[in-house]
Amino acid sequence: MPGLEIRELECFLVLAEELHFGRAGERLYVSQSRVSQLLRSLERRVGARLVHRTSRRVALTPLGERFLARLRPAYDGLAAALAETAAEARGVAGTLRLGFQGTADDRLTEVVRRLTDRHPGYVTDLVELPYSDPFGAVRSGAVDAAAVLLPVEEPDLVLGAVFPRQRQTVAVGAGHPFAGRTAVSAAEVAAVPLVTPAAPAPVYWRAAQAPSAVPGPEVTTLQEGLSQVAAGRAAMLLCRPTAVYHRRRDVVFVPVDGLPDSVLGLVWHRDGETEPVRALARAVAAGGSSPERDLTWKDGAIHT
């Protein structure tokens, strides 16, 4: 649209949040009359009212609500593009700490490579997280973001892009009845003891990683879990890439039919979202992941 003023769009976005001309003006460092002027100019471009205003109330019109839904992601994208380009122009450098659970396999190293290719100034440190504490390091600030197994239901954390889904396998000792099978069912897995993450992992998260009716040993690390498996004390669910990475002679990995796929997601604290973290999320998404808003966890399964 010729002559479009970015200030008009910013005014509308702020007014849509505040629903008050005076407060919107304070945030924009302009007078209340200037807010009204910018809004009228935008409405003339649109050709219709975007805001209902009376002496007592300010509200978006239905058209204004739809315009807000379209404008917000586009404006955020422009702001991110500007910030990213400015950072590249300054040659911004920094260290990004990325947490992982158990295995930093090629899924993570490929994300780091994509991030480094796009932002040569960023240095990514990989930090191993305890299997039993997927969210603690993010909350404490020990890492900037973490790649953790879903589900994630923590209200103070943001679930960003997710990695491609992976089929589940069950790890069993070489002498286990499952060891000679080409596949087992979800019902069969639920009937044997499964290695379970210990506290402080949330109860819902522990149940998702060990959906069994039979109590199994609790562990704090992935290696502890595999040791319990090798000793014949329990089985353990692992995604296919992790199973491939941890091949050993005393443990057999058998595909499981009927279980929801394993999904790894990138999380960060709501107060810790920075441009490097957003760049990391884009690097994950570039690998073919799905956005968080398209995924929900219900009844032990991931739904789109």
Side-chain angles (χ1 to χ4, degrees):
M1 183 179 294
L4 181 63
E5 291 287 342
I6 193 69
R7 195 62 168 166
E8 295 173 2
L9 302 180
E10 291 173 339
C11 175
F12 174 75
L13 289 171
V14 172
L15 185 59
E17 292 178 2
E18 297 292 344
L19 295 179
H20 190 281
F21 280 77
R23 290 195 298 270
E26 291 174 0
R27 283 182 54 182
L28 294 166
Y29 299 101
V30 299
S31 67
Q32 182 172 328
S33 62
R34 179 58 175 160
V35 173
S36 297
Q37 181 184 20
L38 289 168
L39 178 63
R40 285 196 301 270
S41 178
L42 179 61
E43 288 178 329
R44 283 196 297 270
R45 294 179 190 278
V46 171
R49 282 288 184 91
L50 299 173
V51 176
H52 282 308
R53 40 200 182 268
T54 68
S55 59
R56 294 186 177 183
R57 184 169 178 266
V58 176
L60 297 182
T61 65
L63 181 64
E65 293 281 3
R66 294 192 294 274
F67 181 56
L68 176 63
R70 297 174 183 132
L71 176 61
R72 172 54 71 185
Y75 181 84
D76 290 346
L78 286 173
L82 178 61
E84 181 180 337
T85 303
E88 290 179 358
R90 294 193 305 268
V92 171
T95 299
L96 184 66
R97 298 158 299 172
L98 173 60
F100 67 93
Q101 290 183 287
T103 304
D105 58 27
D106 56 359
R107 292 175 294 175
L108 282 187
T109 55
E110 175 62 19
V111 165
V112 172
R113 184 195 64 75
R114 284 197 293 267
L115 181 66
T116 303
D117 287 348
R118 186 75 179 272
H119 304 277
Y122 290 162
V123 176
T124 305
D125 285 344
L126 293 172
V127 180
E128 185 173 2
L129 309 180
Y131 182 54
S132 60
D133 191 9
F135 311 124
V138 177
R139 288 196 170 109
S140 70
V143 298
D144 300 296
V148 299
L149 289 167
L150 268 57
V152 176
E153 299 176 2
E154 309 305 294
D156 59 333
L157 301 185
V158 174
L159 173 59
V162 299
F163 293 74
R165 304 163 185 261
Q166 299 292 336
R167 187 179 183 185
Q168 300 247 38
T169 71
V170 61
V172 295
H176 194 279
F178 290 171
R181 303 272 297 276
T182 57
V184 294
S185 69
E188 290 175 302
V189 169
V192 301
L194 290 179
V195 167
T196 303
V203 172
Y204 76 86
W205 192 86
R206 298 167 68 190
Q209 313 315 321
S212 173
V214 184
E218 296 186 355
V219 301
T220 59
T221 70
L222 180 62
Q223 291 302 323
E224 286 180 13
L226 287 172
S227 296
Q228 296 282 3
V229 170
R233 293 197 59 205
M236 185 177 186
L237 287 177
L238 296 171
C239 70
R240 184 187 57 80
T242 302
V244 170
Y245 187 91
H246 288 283
R247 282 177 176 166
R248 46 190 289 179
R249 287 178 295 180
D250 53 356
V251 174
V252 178
F253 299 94
V254 184
V256 181
D257 295 327
L259 276 183
D261 291 338
S262 175
V263 183
L264 201 63
L266 186 71
V267 300
W268 58 85
H269 198 277
R270 291 193 180 278
D271 296 332
E273 183 170 322
T274 62
E275 179 54 31
V277 169
R278 289 191 289 268
L280 179 64
R282 291 192 291 271
V284 173
S289 61
S290 302
E292 166 269 335
R293 64 180 176 271
D294 290 340
L295 296 173
T296 57
W297 189 275
K298 182 180 180 181
D299 301 327
I302 294 193
H303 301 263
T304 57

